[in-house]
Amino acid sequence: MIKVGIVGGTGYTGVELLRLLAVHPKVEVTLITSRAEAGKCVTELFPTLRGHYDDLYFSEPESHALGACDLVFFATPHGVAQAMMKEVLAAGVRAIDLSADFRIRDIEVWEKWYGQQHGCPELVAQAVYGLPEIHREQIKDAQLVACPGCYPTSIQLGFYPLLANDLIDPRSLIASSASGVSGAGKQAKVDLLMAEMGESFKTYAAGGHRHLPEIEQGLRDMQTPDAAEPELTFVPHLLPMIRGIHSTLFARLIENVDLQALFEDFYANEPFVDVLPQGVLPETRSVKSSNICRLAVLEPQSRGTVVVASVIDNLTKGASGQGIQNMNIMFGFDETMGLAAPALLP
Amino acid sequence: MIKVGIVGGTGYTGVELLRLLAVHPKVEVTLITSRAEAGKCVTELFPTLRGHYDDLYFSEPESHALGACDLVFFATPHGVAQAMMKEVLAAGVRAIDLSADFRIRDIEVWEKWYGQQHGCPELVAQAVYGLPEIHREQIKDAQLVACPGCYPTSIQLGFYPLLANDLIDPRSLIASSASGVSGAGKQAKVDLLMAEMGESFKTYAAGGHRHLPEIEQGLRDMQTPDAAEPELTFVPHLLPMIRGIHSTLFARLIENVDLQALFEDFYANEPFVDVLPQGVLPETRSVKSSNICRLAVLEPQSRGTVVVASVIDNLTKGASGQGIQNMNIMFGFDETMGLAAPALLP
Amino acid sequence: MIKVGIVGGTGYTGVELLRLLAVHPKVEVTLITSRAEAGKCVTELFPTLRGHYDDLYFSEPESHALGACDLVFFATPHGVAQAMMKEVLAAGVRAIDLSADFRIRDIEVWEKWYGQQHGCPELVAQAVYGLPEIHREQIKDAQLVACPGCYPTSIQLGFYPLLANDLIDPRSLIASSASGVSGAGKQAKVDLLMAEMGESFKTYAAGGHRHLPEIEQGLRDMQTPDAAEPELTFVPHLLPMIRGIHSTLFARLIENVDLQALFEDFYANEPFVDVLPQGVLPETRSVKSSNICRLAVLEPQSRGTVVVASVIDNLTKGASGQGIQNMNIMFGFDETMGLAAPALLP
Amino acid sequence: MIKVGIVGGTGYTGVELLRLLAVHPKVEVTLITSRAEAGKCVTELFPTLRGHYDDLYFSEPESHALGACDLVFFATPHGVAQAMMKEVLAAGVRAIDLSADFRIRDIEVWEKWYGQQHGCPELVAQAVYGLPEIHREQIKDAQLVACPGCYPTSIQLGFYPLLANDLIDPRSLIASSASGVSGAGKQAKVDLLMAEMGESFKTYAAGGHRHLPEIEQGLRDMQTPDAAEPELTFVPHLLPMIRGIHSTLFARLIENVDLQALFEDFYANEPFVDVLPQGVLPETRSVKSSNICRLAVLEPQSRGTVVVASVIDNLTKGASGQGIQNMNIMFGFDETMGLAAPALLP
C-alpha cells in the first residue's frame, strides 16, 4: 500500500481520482487538501463517495503532511503545482501533476500561452511527459510526471502511428475536437451553465487554444529526425454533454499503406489503446468512465486525406485515469490495476 | 468461481450484468443467449466490453447449455422466463429473473395487468421476491428469485420504515416517480427517440402502471398484521436523461416521531441503503452506476405530511445490480462483492 | 404603438421579452436598462437578436428615461422593483413586475420568506396579481401588475376548477413540480453548471420554497367563501433540460363529478389554457416557446385521489409571455397578440 | 392567400412546415397527406398545433386534391416525390421538394449514392436547386424547386465567398460537421433512441455520406470557370441534442485577403446569412427555430489554413424554413415573410 495525497481535490479531476482510487488495491488516500473546503469531510462535498471516504477531511496544504506521502497528485489549476513542487520533491515524494505546469519544455512558450511567469522553471527539464504509450520507460523512474491534457491525449494517440512512420505531411495536420463540459472544470461561470450549454454546440478558442503548443511539442517527439516541423490547425468545440472527447483528425497522406493494419499492429500491445475493427467508428460513450482510447482510421473516397477518429473520457484517460496509469508504472504495479472496469453503458 | 448464464443479454439489463460481472471475482460468464444475435460476439454488439468478453458469443437458448450453469439470469421481456423456468430449475440450476414473470403472487392479478395468461403459475409460489432489505433470509436458500422492478425498489425502500412502524395512513400513499429513458428498454419505438424524449418531461401510464400491483403487494408485506390495505396513487414520469429513478413519496403521518432518527436506525446495517444527513436531498447522479439507494425524509412545514425522496440507478439497484446482490446472498459471497465501486460523478 | 421599457434585461426573462416583443405589432422597445452592461448593444449580449435590436443599447436605469415609456417591465431579481416602483408609477407609467416584489399581499409573509424588509409596502395593496384567468377584469385598469411566478402559474391553473367548485379537500393538496434549469436564472453558480445539472434529477427546497406562500394565497382566492384554508405540500424538482415546468397535482376528492367535462367547460373560453382530450397526458415540450398551459385530469383506479398534470414554458406562460398577455389586456390589444406562434417541436 | 398542400407531413420537416405556415399571412394549408395517419387530425399527432389546425386531417395522397393546390411541399423520404411529381406538375401546381429526389443533376450519381433507380429522370433538368443565396433568380420562375439538404446548406454557404473568389485550393476542402438528432428523422430505430444517443458523440458515414455529391455539385456551381474540380472530405457527426447543425470548414488559402471584410461584403444583402463580428464564434442555439445561417471566418496562427464556422437550424434553414423562403420567392412575397421571429434562447 502506498500513501497518496491529493492537492486540490474539489474539482472534477480530484473526484475522479477519488472514485478510481477507492477501489485500487495498492493505494490509501491519506491526505486531500483544499483551502476553500478545509475541515469539511470529503463525503459532504461528494455524496457519491459516502461509504468510501467517511474519515477523509479536506485540509490546508501543509508541507509536512505532503512529505509523509509516497505520491502526491496535483489536481489544481495551472500555477499551483509550480508553487509547491520544489518542496514536495525535496521531501523525497514523487508527484504527478494533472495541470499544465510542467508539460511544456520551452519556458517562453509556456509563459506566452498561459500569460504569466513560470513559477518553477528549474524543474521543467526533469519532468517526464506522462503519455505512457510514448514515454513509458522514462515514467518508471520519474520523480515528477506531467500528465498530458485531455485534447492532447486524444490527438497525439491518433496521429502517433502516422507521424512515427512518416506517412503524412506534417504541415497538413487538422484536429477538429469536441469536449464534454466537464473539461471546462467546476467553475462558477455563466458560460458553463446548463441553460447556456445545453442543446447547443460551438467552437471556442478557434484562434488559439492553450493545448496547441503542448500538442505540437508532443507531435514533434513522435516524428523521425528529419521530418518537417508539425503544424496543426486545432479547432476545439464544446458538446452538450458531460464526459468525453472526440477528436476528428485529418492529414494529407504522403505514402500509401494499409492504414487499418498499421494502426492495429502499432497498438497491439497497448492495454489502453483500442483500434476498432475496420468500418466501426468510435462513440464517446464507449469509453465513459474508462481509461481506454478507442481509434478508427480511414481514407474517405481514397483521395489522399486520412481521417482518424479518437475518443477518450476526458476525466479518465484525459486526466485522472492516465494519472493512475502513470502511478502504476512508477510504482511497479500492473499498469491496468484499478483501471479494469468496463465503460458505463448506456 | 461459479458459472453464470444470461438469457437475453442484448438489452440494457443484460449489458449492465456484463459490466458488473466483468470485475466480479467469483463469477465466470460462460453463456449468453439471444435468438436475434446468435453467433455474434458480445463485443461486437457492445464495444464498451472489448477486452473483457472477446471470446463470448451469443448463442441460441438451449437447455443443455443452461443446465451446465450454476446460475442463470433472465434479462428478458416478461413472458420469456415463464416459458423456460421449469426446465432450468429441473436441471438443478438456480435462477434470478429480472423480469416481472414471478414477482406477483396472485396469478389473476398478474394476468390482468400483463394482459396474457401466465405461462408457469406452478412456480410462482416458490419464487422469492428479491428485495434483500426485506427478504434476505429467504433469498439465501431460494432456487428462484424474482428481482423487483425499478420503480418498486425505489418506492418500497422509501415507505418501508414508515409502514413497518405503523406511522402513516396506508390509504394516503402517493408516489410521484421519474425515470431515465433506459428504464423503457432498448426498443425501436418512435416515442423513445432522442428527438422525442430530449428536453421534455411528461407523465405516462398515470391511469395505471404495471408496477402498481407489485408495489402494493410489497407494501402489504411490510405492514403490521392489523394494518389496513395499502392504497397507492402512483404517477410515473419520463426524464430527459439516461439512468436514474427518483421517487418522491407522500403520506399522512398518524404518529409524531423523529423521522430522521427512525430512518437512520432502520437502515443502519444495510450496505446498499444510505439515509442522507438531515437537510441533504438526494440527486439521481449520486447513485449513477452504483447499487446504492439514497434516501431523505422530511415533514415540510410540520403539517402532517411526510415526504420521502428516494433515488436509485434503475439499471443497477433497480435491476442488474440488485440481481448480483441477490446472487451474492444466494451463493454465500460477501453481499457487496463486485458492487463496491463508487458512483460515477460528474 | 406603445413605448415599452425593460428594467434588467440581461437575464432569461429579459431576453424572452425581447424575443416576443420583436414581432409584436403594437410595441416598440425604446429602453432597456442594465447597470452591468450599460453601453453595450443588446445584440452583442444576445446574438440571437441580431437584425432585430441592432440600435438598442443597455443603459443605466434613469428615471426620466423610464418616465417616457408607456409601460415598463421589471425583469429583475426581487428587491429591485420595490426600490424603483414609486417613481415609475408617479410618472404615470404603467408597470408589470415579473419579480416577486408585489405578489404577496401580506407584507410580513413576504418579509419572512424573502428574508429582507419590503422596500415599498405602500404599493402592495394596489398591485393586481396578473393571472388573467382569475383576475382579468382588474388587470384591465391596473397601473401595477405583479406577474405570477412559474410554479404558481402551473399549480394554480391546475387546482382552479377543483377549488372553485369545492370538489377537493383543501388540506390534502400536494404539488410535485419539476422545472427546467432556466427557472433558476442566469446566475454564475456551481450548482447550475451543466456538469452538475445534466443527467440528474433532484428535489430542492423541499422543506419550503418561496413560491409556497404565493401559491397558497392564490389558491385561497379561488375558493368559495366558507372553504377551509388551503394547505399545500409543495415539492419542487430540477430537470436536466432548459425550458418547461411540469406540475403533478394530487388532492382528495370530496365529491364525484365528471372531471374531464368539468375542466373542459371551465376553461372553454380561455385562449391560453388547453385541456387535453381524455387519456392524453401533457409533455413540457408541447408548450415550448409558447404561452399555453396544457392540462390533463384523471382519477387513477377511481380511489378518490384526483391527479392533474399541468405544463407551461416557465419563461413564457411562467414569466414573460404572461407579462405580455397582461400588457395586451392592460392596453386593450387582442389578448393573444404577439403570442400566437405554435410551440417549437421537436 | 395561396393554397398549400403538404405531402408526407408526419415527420419533422412536416411539422416544421406546419409550425411556420401557421403564422404566415399569405398561406392557407388546405391539404396534408399521410398514408399511415389518414383520417387522423393533425393536432392529434402534434398536440403543439392544437388551436392552429383543429380542422386539418391527414388524407390519402390523391391527385385531384393535390391539383387544387397552388403549391405542394414534399416532406417525404427520398423516392416519394419522384413517383408523384409528374402528375403534380402536369396539374399546373408548383412544387418544393424537401427530399433529395431532384437535387443531383447527374442521374447516375444519384442512383449510385441512393442505391435505387431514379423514378423520374426526365424532370431533373428542370428542377432548380433551392439555395436562394446562389439561385434566387431561377427560383422566381421555377415550377419545381429541389430544396437543399441540411449539411449541404451549412457547408455551401460557408465555402461560397471563398470559392467564388478563387481564394482556396479546391482540392483541400474539409468539412467536419455535426448535427442534432432530428436530422436523422422520426424513424423507429434503436440507434436513435435517447438511451443510445444521449451523452455521446460520434462520427458516422465517415466513409461516404449521401450529401457529399450534392455538396460537391453545389461547390462546383460557385467556382470560377477555370477552377479545378472541388474535392471535399466530409465527416458528419451526431450531437446529443435535437436541433442544429454546425459545420467547421477547413481549406488551404491560395491568396491573402481580409477574410472578415470579404465575408461581410459578400453577404451584406442576404437577409438570412449573418456574418458575425470578428472574434465572435457561432453557436447552434443562436439560430434555433430561425431561418438564419450565422458564419465566422478566421485563419488560426496565420498559417494559411482558413477555418469557417457555420451554423443553421437543420429543420429551418436546413429544410422547411428554406422551403418557405423559396416559396416566398416563387410567389413574389417578401422573402422574409413568416420567417422573421428571432431564434429561441435559451
Side-chain angles (χ1 to χ4, degrees):
Chain A
M1 292 292 262
I2 59 170
K3 287 180 181 146
V4 165
I6 300 172
V7 177
T10 61
Y12 295 140
T13 54
V15 70
E16 180 74 348
L17 282 173
L18 289 167
R19 177 181 78 86
L20 293 166
L21 293 176
V23 289
H24 193 289
K26 297 284 193 187
V27 167
E28 186 187 6
V29 179
T30 54
L31 180 74
I32 189 163
T33 77
S34 161
R35 288 210 161 77
E37 305 289 352
K40 187 180 281 188
C41 185
V42 162
T43 63
E44 191 180 338
L45 195 68
F46 300 121
T48 48
L49 298 175
R50 286 170 62 86
H52 293 278
Y53 294 99
D54 295 337
D55 300 325
L56 187 66
Y57 289 74
F58 290 105
S59 63
E60 296 282 343
E62 293 169 40
S63 51
H64 69 277
L66 291 167
C69 297
D70 298 301
L71 172 70
V72 169
F73 284 100
F74 285 88
T76 43
H78 67 269
V80 177
Q82 290 177 2
M84 300 172 63
M85 192 59 76
K86 206 182 293 186
E87 205 168 9
V88 167
L89 298 195
V93 180
R94 300 173 87 176
I96 297 175
D97 179 16
L98 301 180
S99 86
D101 278 7
F102 295 96
R103 291 178 193 157
I104 295 179
R105 292 190 295 264
D106 185 327
I107 308 291
E108 267 180 55
V109 169
W110 193 92
E111 293 183 340
K112 177 188 148 204
W113 283 87
Y114 286 86
Q116 62 188 74
Q117 223 187 336
H118 198 287
C120 189
E122 62 271 35
L123 290 179
V124 169
Q126 77 173 80
V128 174
Y129 189 66
L131 196 58
E133 291 75 11
I134 305 187
H135 302 289
R136 185 172 283 115
E137 287 311 307
Q138 298 103 293
I139 293 166
K140 283 179 183 164
D141 301 316
Q143 196 185 2
L144 167 54
V145 167
C147 220
C150 47
Y151 287 123
T153 296
S154 72
I155 293 170
Q156 290 176 76
L157 293 176
F159 278 129
Y160 190 15
L162 297 166
L163 281 176
N165 288 286
D166 251 340
L167 296 173
I168 51 177
D169 175 354
R171 301 176 64 99
S172 73
L173 310 183
I174 287 171
S176 180
S177 297
S179 173
V181 294
S182 61
K186 201 172 160 185
Q187 309 174 72
K189 289 188 178 172
V190 163
D191 283 1
L192 301 178
L193 297 184
M194 178 148 185
E196 299 290 311
M197 298 291 321
E199 288 290 300
S200 194
F201 183 67
K202 65 173 177 185
T203 55
Y204 70 105
H209 187 284
R210 283 172 173 172
H211 282 172
L212 179 60
E214 177 189 341
I215 301 167
E216 291 192 336
Q217 170 184 283
L219 298 179
R220 189 79 187 111
D221 289 349
M222 300 169 184
Q223 293 181 295
T224 53
D226 300 335
E229 289 270 334
E231 277 194 7
L232 174 69
T233 300
F234 170 45
V235 180
H237 304 73
L238 268 172
L239 285 163
M241 60 184 227
I242 298 174
R243 278 173 172 251
I245 278 188
H246 187 291
S247 286
T248 311
L249 312 179
F250 304 86
R252 293 297 301 170
L253 284 165
I254 51 181
E255 204 178 313
N256 217 343
V257 296
D258 180 339
L259 293 164
Q260 181 69 26
L262 170 79
F263 270 63
E264 288 184 7
D265 292 351
F266 194 88
Y267 284 124
N269 297 315
E270 283 299 337
F272 292 117
V273 183
D274 176 32
V275 177
L276 293 170
Q278 189 126 31
V280 178
L281 294 164
E283 35 189 355
T284 60
R285 66 172 189 156
S286 77
V287 295
K288 184 159 53 184
S289 78
S290 99
N291 200 50
I292 303 279
C293 171
R294 297 197 204 274
L295 296 172
V297 60
L298 68 162
E299 184 193 352
Q301 284 80 50
S302 305
R303 285 171 166 181
T305 296
V306 61
V307 173
V308 179
S310 163
V311 299
I312 59 170
D313 185 321
N314 56 302
L315 294 177
T316 320
K317 183 64 175 169
S320 305
Q322 186 148 264
I324 291 170
Q325 184 183 357
N326 278 308
M327 175 194 80
N328 287 339
I329 295 169
M330 290 163 79
F331 286 86
F333 307 146
D334 185 297
E335 192 169 329
T336 65
M337 189 175 280
L339 299 170
L344 185 67
L345 178 97
Chain B
M1 293 292 263
I2 59 169
K3 288 180 179 147
V4 165
I6 300 173
V7 177
T10 61
Y12 295 139
T13 54
V15 70
E16 180 74 349
L17 282 174
L18 289 167
R19 176 180 78 86
L20 293 166
L21 294 176
V23 290
H24 193 290
K26 298 284 194 186
V27 166
E28 186 188 8
V29 179
T30 53
L31 180 74
I32 187 163
T33 78
S34 161
R35 288 211 161 77
E37 305 289 353
K40 187 180 282 190
C41 184
V42 161
T43 63
E44 191 181 339
L45 196 67
F46 300 120
T48 49
L49 299 174
R50 287 170 61 86
H52 292 279
Y53 294 100
D54 295 338
D55 299 325
L56 187 66
Y57 288 74
F58 290 106
S59 63
E60 297 282 343
E62 293 168 41
S63 51
H64 70 276
L66 291 167
C69 297
D70 298 301
L71 171 69
V72 168
F73 284 99
F74 284 87
T76 43
H78 67 268
V80 177
Q82 291 178 2
M84 299 172 65
M85 193 59 76
K86 206 183 290 185
E87 205 167 7
V88 166
L89 298 195
V93 179
R94 301 174 86 175
I96 296 176
D97 180 16
L98 301 181
S99 86
D101 279 8
F102 295 97
R103 292 178 192 157
I104 295 178
R105 291 190 296 265
D106 186 325
I107 308 291
E108 268 182 54
V109 169
W110 192 93
E111 294 183 339
K112 177 189 148 206
W113 283 87
Y114 287 85
Q116 63 188 75
Q117 223 187 338
H118 198 287
C120 188
E122 61 273 33
L123 289 179
V124 169
Q126 77 173 80
V128 175
Y129 189 67
L131 197 58
E133 290 76 11
I134 305 187
H135 302 290
R136 186 172 283 116
E137 287 310 309
Q138 298 102 294
I139 292 166
K140 284 179 182 164
D141 302 317
Q143 196 184 3
L144 168 54
V145 166
C147 219
C150 48
Y151 287 124
T153 297
S154 71
I155 293 169
Q156 289 176 77
L157 292 176
F159 278 130
Y160 191 15
L162 297 166
L163 282 176
N165 289 287
D166 251 340
L167 296 173
I168 51 176
D169 175 355
R171 303 177 61 100
S172 72
L173 310 182
I174 287 172
S176 180
S177 297
S179 173
V181 294
S182 62
K186 199 172 160 184
Q187 310 173 71
K189 288 186 177 173
V190 164
D191 283 1
L192 301 177
L193 297 184
M194 178 148 185
E196 299 290 310
M197 298 291 321
E199 287 290 301
S200 194
F201 183 67
K202 65 173 178 184
T203 54
Y204 70 105
H209 187 284
R210 282 171 173 172
H211 282 171
L212 179 61
E214 176 189 343
I215 300 167
E216 290 192 336
Q217 170 185 284
L219 298 179
R220 189 81 188 110
D221 288 351
M222 299 169 186
Q223 293 180 296
T224 54
D226 299 336
E229 288 269 334
E231 276 194 8
L232 175 70
T233 300
F234 170 46
V235 179
H237 304 72
L238 267 172
L239 285 163
M241 59 185 226
I242 298 175
R243 279 173 171 251
I245 280 189
H246 187 291
S247 286
T248 311
L249 312 179
F250 305 86
R252 293 298 300 169
L253 284 164
I254 53 182
E255 203 177 314
N256 217 341
V257 296
D258 180 338
L259 294 164
Q260 181 70 24
L262 170 79
F263 270 63
E264 288 184 7
D265 291 352
F266 195 87
Y267 283 125
N269 298 315
E270 283 299 338
F272 292 117
V273 183
D274 176 31
V275 178
L276 293 170
Q278 190 125 29
V280 178
L281 295 164
E283 35 190 354
T284 60
R285 66 173 187 154
S286 77
V287 295
K288 185 158 54 182
S289 79
S290 99
N291 200 50
I292 303 279
C293 171
R294 299 196 203 274
L295 297 172
V297 60
L298 67 162
E299 184 193 350
Q301 284 78 51
S302 305
R303 285 170 165 181
T305 296
V306 60
V307 173
V308 179
S310 163
V311 298
I312 58 170
D313 185 319
N314 57 300
L315 294 177
T316 320
K317 184 64 175 168
S320 305
Q322 187 148 262
I324 291 169
Q325 184 183 358
N326 278 308
M327 175 194 80
N328 286 340
I329 296 169
M330 291 163 78
F331 286 85
F333 307 146
D334 185 296
E335 193 170 326
T336 65
M337 188 175 280
L339 299 169
L344 185 66
L345 177 95
Chain C
M1 294 291 262
I2 60 170
K3 287 180 180 145
V4 165
I6 299 172
V7 177
T10 62
Y12 295 140
T13 55
V15 69
E16 180 74 348
L17 282 172
L18 289 167
R19 177 180 77 87
L20 294 166
L21 293 175
V23 290
H24 193 290
K26 298 284 193 186
V27 166
E28 186 188 7
V29 179
T30 54
L31 181 74
I32 188 162
T33 77
S34 162
R35 288 210 162 78
E37 306 288 353
K40 187 180 281 189
C41 185
V42 162
T43 63
E44 192 181 338
L45 196 67
F46 300 122
T48 49
L49 298 175
R50 286 170 61 87
H52 292 279
Y53 294 99
D54 295 337
D55 300 325
L56 187 66
Y57 288 74
F58 290 106
S59 63
E60 297 282 343
E62 294 169 38
S63 51
H64 70 276
L66 291 167
C69 297
D70 298 301
L71 171 70
V72 169
F73 283 99
F74 284 87
T76 44
H78 66 268
V80 177
Q82 290 177 2
M84 299 172 63
M85 192 60 76
K86 206 183 291 184
E87 205 168 7
V88 166
L89 298 196
V93 179
R94 301 173 86 175
I96 297 175
D97 179 16
L98 301 180
S99 86
D101 278 8
F102 295 96
R103 292 179 192 156
I104 295 178
R105 292 189 295 265
D106 186 326
I107 309 290
E108 268 181 55
V109 168
W110 192 92
E111 293 183 339
K112 177 187 147 207
W113 284 87
Y114 287 86
Q116 62 188 76
Q117 221 186 342
H118 198 288
C120 188
E122 62 272 31
L123 289 179
V124 170
Q126 77 172 79
V128 174
Y129 189 67
L131 196 58
E133 290 76 9
I134 304 186
H135 303 289
R136 185 171 283 117
E137 287 309 308
Q138 299 103 291
I139 292 165
K140 284 180 183 165
D141 301 317
Q143 198 186 0
L144 168 54
V145 166
C147 220
C150 47
Y151 288 123
T153 296
S154 72
I155 293 169
Q156 290 176 75
L157 292 176
F159 278 130
Y160 191 16
L162 298 166
L163 282 176
N165 288 287
D166 251 340
L167 296 173
I168 50 176
D169 175 355
R171 302 176 63 100
S172 73
L173 310 183
I174 287 172
S176 179
S177 297
S179 173
V181 294
S182 62
K186 200 172 159 184
Q187 308 174 72
K189 289 187 179 173
V190 164
D191 284 1
L192 301 177
L193 298 184
M194 178 148 184
E196 299 289 311
M197 299 291 321
E199 288 289 302
S200 194
F201 183 67
K202 65 174 179 184
T203 55
Y204 70 106
H209 187 284
R210 283 172 172 171
H211 282 172
L212 178 61
E214 177 189 341
I215 300 167
E216 291 192 337
Q217 170 185 284
L219 299 179
R220 188 80 188 111
D221 288 350
M222 300 169 184
Q223 293 181 296
T224 54
D226 299 335
E229 289 270 334
E231 276 194 8
L232 175 69
T233 300
F234 170 45
V235 179
H237 304 72
L238 267 173
L239 284 162
M241 58 184 227
I242 297 174
R243 279 174 170 249
I245 280 189
H246 187 292
S247 287
T248 311
L249 312 178
F250 304 86
R252 293 297 302 169
L253 284 164
I254 53 182
E255 203 177 314
N256 216 341
V257 297
D258 180 338
L259 293 164
Q260 181 69 24
L262 169 79
F263 269 64
E264 288 184 7
D265 291 353
F266 195 86
Y267 282 125
N269 297 315
E270 282 299 337
F272 292 117
V273 183
D274 176 31
V275 178
L276 294 170
Q278 189 125 32
V280 178
L281 294 164
E283 36 189 354
T284 60
R285 66 174 188 153
S286 77
V287 296
K288 184 158 54 183
S289 77
S290 99
N291 201 50
I292 303 280
C293 171
R294 298 197 204 274
L295 296 172
V297 60
L298 67 161
E299 185 193 351
Q301 284 80 49
S302 305
R303 285 169 165 183
T305 296
V306 60
V307 173
V308 179
S310 163
V311 299
I312 58 170
D313 185 319
N314 56 301
L315 294 178
T316 320
K317 184 64 175 170
S320 305
Q322 187 147 264
I324 291 170
Q325 184 183 358
N326 279 308
M327 175 194 79
N328 286 340
I329 295 169
M330 291 162 79
F331 285 86
F333 307 146
D334 185 298
E335 193 169 328
T336 65
M337 189 175 281
L339 299 169
L344 185 66
L345 178 96
Chain D
M1 292 292 261
I2 60 169
K3 288 180 180 146
V4 165
I6 300 172
V7 176
T10 61
Y12 295 139
T13 54
V15 70
E16 180 73 348
L17 281 173
L18 290 167
R19 176 180 78 87
L20 293 166
L21 293 176
V23 289
H24 193 290
K26 298 285 194 185
V27 166
E28 187 187 7
V29 179
T30 54
L31 181 74
I32 188 163
T33 77
S34 162
R35 288 210 161 79
E37 305 289 353
K40 187 180 282 189
C41 185
V42 162
T43 63
E44 191 180 339
L45 195 67
F46 299 120
T48 49
L49 299 174
R50 287 170 61 86
H52 293 278
Y53 294 100
D54 295 337
D55 299 325
L56 187 66
Y57 288 74
F58 290 105
S59 63
E60 297 282 343
E62 293 168 38
S63 51
H64 70 276
L66 290 167
C69 297
D70 298 300
L71 171 69
V72 169
F73 284 100
F74 285 86
T76 43
H78 67 267
V80 177
Q82 290 178 1
M84 299 171 65
M85 192 59 76
K86 205 182 291 186
E87 205 167 10
V88 166
L89 298 194
V93 179
R94 301 173 86 176
I96 296 174
D97 179 16
L98 301 181
S99 86
D101 277 9
F102 295 96
R103 291 178 193 158
I104 295 178
R105 291 189 295 265
D106 185 326
I107 308 291
E108 269 181 54
V109 169
W110 193 93
E111 293 183 340
K112 176 189 148 206
W113 284 86
Y114 287 86
Q116 62 188 76
Q117 223 187 340
H118 198 287
C120 189
E122 62 272 34
L123 290 179
V124 169
Q126 77 173 81
V128 174
Y129 189 66
L131 196 58
E133 290 76 9
I134 304 187
H135 302 288
R136 186 171 282 116
E137 287 310 307
Q138 299 102 294
I139 292 166
K140 284 179 181 164
D141 302 317
Q143 197 185 1
L144 167 55
V145 167
C147 220
C150 46
Y151 288 123
T153 297
S154 71
I155 293 170
Q156 289 177 76
L157 293 176
F159 278 130
Y160 191 16
L162 297 167
L163 283 176
N165 288 288
D166 251 340
L167 297 173
I168 50 177
D169 175 354
R171 302 176 62 100
S172 72
L173 311 182
I174 287 172
S176 180
S177 297
S179 173
V181 294
S182 61
K186 200 174 161 184
Q187 310 173 70
K189 289 188 177 172
V190 164
D191 283 1
L192 301 177
L193 298 184
M194 178 149 184
E196 299 289 311
M197 298 291 322
E199 287 289 301
S200 194
F201 182 67
K202 65 173 178 185
T203 54
Y204 70 105
H209 187 285
R210 283 172 174 173
H211 282 172
L212 178 61
E214 177 189 342
I215 300 167
E216 291 193 335
Q217 170 185 284
L219 298 180
R220 189 81 188 110
D221 288 350
M222 300 169 184
Q223 293 180 295
T224 54
D226 299 334
E229 289 269 334
E231 278 195 7
L232 175 69
T233 299
F234 170 45
V235 179
H237 304 72
L238 267 172
L239 285 163
M241 60 184 226
I242 297 175
R243 279 173 171 250
I245 279 189
H246 187 292
S247 286
T248 311
L249 312 179
F250 305 86
R252 293 297 301 170
L253 284 165
I254 52 181
E255 203 177 315
N256 217 341
V257 296
D258 180 337
L259 294 164
Q260 181 69 24
L262 170 79
F263 270 64
E264 288 184 8
D265 291 351
F266 195 88
Y267 284 125
N269 298 314
E270 283 299 338
F272 293 117
V273 182
D274 176 31
V275 178
L276 294 170
Q278 190 125 30
V280 178
L281 294 164
E283 37 190 353
T284 61
R285 67 174 188 154
S286 77
V287 296
K288 185 159 53 184
S289 78
S290 99
N291 201 51
I292 303 279
C293 171
R294 296 196 205 274
L295 297 172
V297 61
L298 67 161
E299 184 193 350
Q301 283 79 50
S302 304
R303 286 170 165 181
T305 296
V306 61
V307 173
V308 179
S310 163
V311 300
I312 58 170
D313 185 320
N314 57 301
L315 295 177
T316 319
K317 183 63 176 168
S320 305
Q322 187 147 264
I324 291 170
Q325 184 183 358
N326 278 309
M327 176 193 80
N328 286 340
I329 295 168
M330 292 163 78
F331 286 86
F333 307 146
D334 185 297
E335 193 170 326
T336 65
M337 189 175 280
L339 299 170
L344 185 66
L345 177 95

